[in-house]
Amino acid sequence: MFEILYQICYVSSANEKFQQTELLELLNQARQYNKNNNITGLLLYDGVGTFLQTLEGEKDDVESLFSKIKMDERHKRVNLLSAKLVEERLFANWSMGFRLIDKTAIKQIDGFSDFMYAPEKNLEAFATSEPNSAMNLLYHFAKISAIEPEDIT
């Protein structure tokens, strides 16, 4: 029997660059909340202010969390890239996987160098026109991570 789950992917911009301690606090809070609410996912951060995240779980739980994320004053321009029903979790073992990525790492993945570094005025247009690029980027980092993704230390 398949469990029908809800999966979203979004991109946002931090109001200020997150420092290491702020990222650790964010990850610890997210992992605890997600564990308590049976939500899994992956968060990518480019080190200068762009977040790309996927969340998956029961639809009401994911939508409730996304509503909180949209209201979070630490970031702006929260753009939903995709929302769909799925039969299985892509990030089943991660309450919140994390990867800090940089331009060098992004440029090594064909077709993704423009996504995380798109000019601010073009980000929404790009995200709307190519939402699968964001999910493909997340899939890429999920596949190369055999264990719980790295923490910042």
Side-chain angles (χ1 to χ4, degrees):
M1 183 173 127
F2 289 102
E3 178 183 18
I4 300 299
L5 300 164
Y6 190 62
Q7 182 185 75
I8 66 167
C9 178
Y10 74 90
V11 64
S12 69
S13 297
N15 284 322
E16 295 180 13
K17 180 179 173 181
F18 272 56
Q19 300 301 315
Q20 180 176 330
T21 54
E22 294 169 312
L23 280 171
L24 284 171
E25 181 179 329
L26 175 71
L27 287 170
N28 288 334
Q29 289 172 353
R31 287 177 175 154
Q32 187 61 51
Y33 181 90
N34 291 356
K35 185 177 180 180
N36 291 342
N37 291 280
N38 200 26
I39 294 173
T40 56
L42 176 63
L43 175 66
L44 301 179
Y45 181 61
D46 71 353
V48 295
T50 302
F51 287 99
L52 177 64
Q53 183 171 37
T54 190
L55 298 167
E56 52 197 16
E58 294 293 324
K59 186 173 183 178
D60 289 345
D61 296 332
V62 172
E63 286 182 336
S64 175
L65 176 55
F66 188 55
S67 292
K68 292 176 186 177
I69 289 168
K70 290 187 291 188
M71 300 300 292
D72 190 325
E73 295 181 357
R74 294 175 289 188
H75 61 165
K76 58 190 174 199
R77 292 191 328 274
V78 179
N79 293 293
L80 183 64
L81 303 177
S82 71
K84 61 185 177 181
L85 297 175
V86 295
E87 292 183 352
E88 63 182 309
R89 293 175 189 263
L90 179 61
F91 308 102
N93 297 321
W94 302 343
S95 60
M96 181 47 55
F98 176 76
R99 281 281 180 233
L100 180 62
I101 56 176
D102 61 21
K103 287 183 181 182
T104 303
I106 275 296
K107 287 181 179 179
Q108 293 174 2
I109 305 169
D110 290 337
F112 297 113
S113 60
D114 292 336
F115 181 76
M116 295 293 277
Y117 300 98
E120 181 175 318
K121 63 184 177 184
N122 295 327
L123 184 59
E124 187 170 355
F126 179 82
T128 303
S129 67
E130 302 203 30
N132 288 334
S133 294
M135 284 307 298
N136 289 339
L137 181 62
L138 290 160
Y139 291 153
H140 170 80
F141 282 97
K143 284 191 272 186
I144 65 171
S145 301
I147 58 173
E148 179 81 18
E150 66 190 18
D151 282 315
I152 305 165
T153 55

